[in-house]
Amino acid sequence: MVITTTNKKGGVGKTTLNTLLAEFLFRHGQKVLIIGLDPNCSISEVYGKVLQDQNSKLLLTGRDVQPYLLKEHENGGSLSIIPEDLDLSMLSNIMDTKLKHEIKRQGLSEKYDYIIIDPPGTWNAQTRNAVFASDTVIVSGKCSPLDYKATLQYMDTLSECCLDAEVFVVCNAYNKKRDPGNTWDLYQSSFADFLVKNPIPLVNSFQKLVQNPSYTIPATVEKRLTDFISTVTAKNWE
């Protein structure tokens, strides 16, 4: 399964959510590949794989790429990455289905149970490639009026793309005390058919989760993440 978390603006927590997805699936015995498509190299910095010879620019230009193995779990799970390249934004004329083609041609969907794609926070060639390669598209927005508006506009954009993918909206990094304008209510009224039923809470222990395979996040956060990932993968992880 190929999953992309995205929006038309930055700062919506897509890289954090993609990392949480990857770490959760890895810890549950899945073989996971992360593909970074953001020229800011956000997810590559999380895993200490910036400025690497093997990168997604090569992948999008049709050359064979060897993913970097980040870690393996005793339960059979593995986590690998094809990191970003600073020059990715220069690839403005590639076909929107190039990534989908390369994932299939290079056998990546056969080697991994899940492929998590982290695109930039804008509607450009890299983001379109991520969206059109995906089985599941997650539109992430924080609980702010600006993110809500961006998510509304982005859903309109996606509606014109005739996607085969399942599309979900998730309210990310939620903190009820920081929602004086009841933006969560707007998410519920506007995205009822697509909205993941519970918002994702802010995960303060993000770096510990990435760096320490035995780290346990709080039970209430774990429950929300489990429910969220069960929804977007259509699989019960309880």
Side-chain angles (χ1 to χ4, degrees):
M1 175 180 278
V2 182
I3 302 174
T4 291
T5 303
T6 180
N7 204 315
K8 68 181 295 179
K9 71 175 285 292
V12 297
K14 63 181 178 55
T15 298
T16 299
L17 202 54
N18 277 331
T19 304
L20 291 172
L21 270 168
E23 290 289 334
F24 182 98
L25 294 167
F26 160 69
R27 289 176 177 224
H28 283 77
Q30 303 301 295
K31 293 180 173 61
V32 182
L33 173 66
I34 297 167
I35 300 178
L37 293 183
D38 188 347
N40 290 320
C41 300
S42 301
I43 208 161
S44 297
E45 281 198 307
V46 170
Y47 288 103
K49 285 294 181 183
V50 296
L51 305 176
Q52 301 296 309
D53 293 333
Q54 300 291 300
N55 56 62
S56 58
K57 180 183 178 183
L58 299 181
L59 184 66
L60 284 173
T61 52
R63 283 171 279 185
D64 290 349
V65 175
Q66 180 62 46
Y68 295 95
L69 177 64
L70 296 171
K71 49 189 173 181
E72 294 178 293
H73 200 287
E74 59 186 13
N75 63 10
S78 66
L79 184 58
S80 302
I81 190 170
I82 298 175
E84 300 99 327
D85 184 88
L86 289 169
D87 286 336
L88 268 172
S89 59
M90 302 299 291
L91 299 181
S92 58
N93 296 319
I94 52 175
M95 293 179 59
D96 291 346
T97 56
K98 182 65 174 175
L99 180 59
K100 182 176 182 178
H101 170 76
E102 289 301 322
I103 286 174
K104 182 177 181 180
R105 185 185 72 80
Q106 299 192 30
L108 297 175
S109 55
E110 298 172 1
K111 296 175 184 175
Y112 298 96
D113 301 307
Y114 290 90
I115 298 174
I116 310 296
I117 306 176
D118 192 62
T122 183
W123 185 247
N124 62 6
Q126 290 74 44
T127 303
R128 293 193 297 273
N129 265 269
V131 166
F132 284 111
S134 296
D135 302 302
T136 297
V137 174
I138 303 165
V139 182
S140 171
K142 292 184 179 179
C143 210
S144 74
L146 182 59
D147 280 17
Y148 164 73
K149 183 67 174 180
T151 302
L152 270 178
Q153 293 181 359
Y154 196 56
M155 289 294 285
D156 286 341
T157 298
L158 294 179
S159 70
E160 298 174 356
C161 293
C162 300
L163 297 179
D164 293 328
E166 290 280 345
V167 178
F168 297 93
V169 173
V170 61
C171 184
N172 194 18
Y174 180 73
N175 185 328
K176 187 175 182 179
K177 294 180 180 179
R178 299 179 185 176
D179 184 26
N182 296 318
T183 307
W184 170 237
D185 292 341
L186 294 176
Y187 273 89
Q188 291 177 295
S189 61
S190 298
F191 307 116
D193 294 336
F194 301 95
L195 187 66
V196 174
K197 65 178 182 179
N198 290 314
I200 305 298
L202 181 66
V203 179
N204 294 316
S205 51
F206 180 63
Q207 286 299 326
K208 293 179 181 178
L209 180 68
V210 170
Q211 296 169 4
N212 183 358
S214 63
Y215 179 77
T216 301
I217 63 176
T220 53
V221 177
E222 175 78 14
K223 179 64 167 63
R224 287 284 181 91
L225 287 176
T226 301
D227 290 345
F228 160 65
I229 294 169
S230 294
T231 298
V232 300
T233 61
K235 183 175 179 180
N236 187 359
W237 296 96
E238 295 275 353

